[in-house]
Amino acid sequence: MNKWLICGIAAVMATLAGCATGEQEWKQLPEASRTLGASESNQTVQVRVGEYVKISLKANPTTGYTWFFRVDKDRKQTGSAVELVGERLIMPEEDNQLVGAPGVKEVMVRAVAPGFAYVIGECKRPWEHGQRPALTVKYGFVVVR
């Protein structure tokens, strides 16, 4: 058998094995002081420097839609009040997993400095450039000492 074909099959097998858990690597982080969901979108929360907040949203990557998050800081600040420090996709247990079954996208946010910033999440297909996101969430963070 061709050595390139064997390498290709091995690479595909390794990729599938890595996707079996449906979970991206998640850094060991302290517990979140609170969890925000879709119902808290467009709200502002107050957190203290050093606190962690988890954003937890329904996700179904089999549809092609993926959540993309970014921090939009107050332009008067030199640095951002918050930072994105980790994310993961949690899919149903393998025993109960159905093709197309939804999962949960979790994003961890850390308050780093006094100030204000938004965390914005957009659910979109990465290959559809110039299209509006299917869903958008926006959370305001007021960070205090």
Side-chain angles (χ1 to χ4, degrees):
M1 199 178 248
N2 183 331
K3 69 178 180 178
W4 293 110
L5 179 60
I6 293 171
C7 289
I9 291 171
V12 169
M13 298 289 283
T15 301
L16 291 175
C19 293
T21 63
E23 189 170 311
Q24 296 175 5
E25 194 171 319
W26 182 261
K27 298 177 192 176
Q28 276 301 103
L29 298 173
E31 287 293 315
S33 61
R34 69 180 80 188
T35 300
L36 304 175
S39 62
E40 288 82 21
S41 180
N42 296 316
Q43 293 182 14
T44 298
V45 297
Q46 182 174 315
V47 294
R48 294 190 179 286
V49 171
E51 276 188 271
Y52 290 82
V53 176
K54 180 171 44 174
I55 298 171
S56 182
L57 301 167
K58 291 180 183 176
N60 192 341
T62 63
T63 63
Y65 286 93
T66 303
W67 281 104
F68 295 91
F69 286 85
R70 71 179 190 279
V71 174
D72 188 12
K73 68 177 184 155
D74 182 344
R75 285 166 180 54
K76 296 176 214 152
Q77 292 176 220
T78 55
S80 183
V82 300
E83 66 180 357
L84 303 175
V85 293
E87 64 180 67
R88 68 179 169 180
L89 179 64
I90 302 172
M91 298 302 290
E93 294 294 322
E94 287 183 58
D95 296 343
N96 301 326
Q97 191 169 6
L98 300 173
V99 174
V104 176
K105 175 74 169 207
E106 292 184 341
V107 175
M108 189 68 80
V109 179
R110 183 170 69 103
V112 293
F116 181 82
Y118 285 110
V119 172
I120 300 168
E122 296 178 330
C123 187
K124 58 187 178 181
R125 290 179 170 148
W127 63 85
E128 292 181 339
H129 301 287
Q131 298 292 319
R132 294 177 61 114
L135 297 168
T136 300
V137 293
K138 184 176 183 178
Y139 305 96
F141 287 86
V142 175
V143 180
V144 297
R145 289 205 184 272

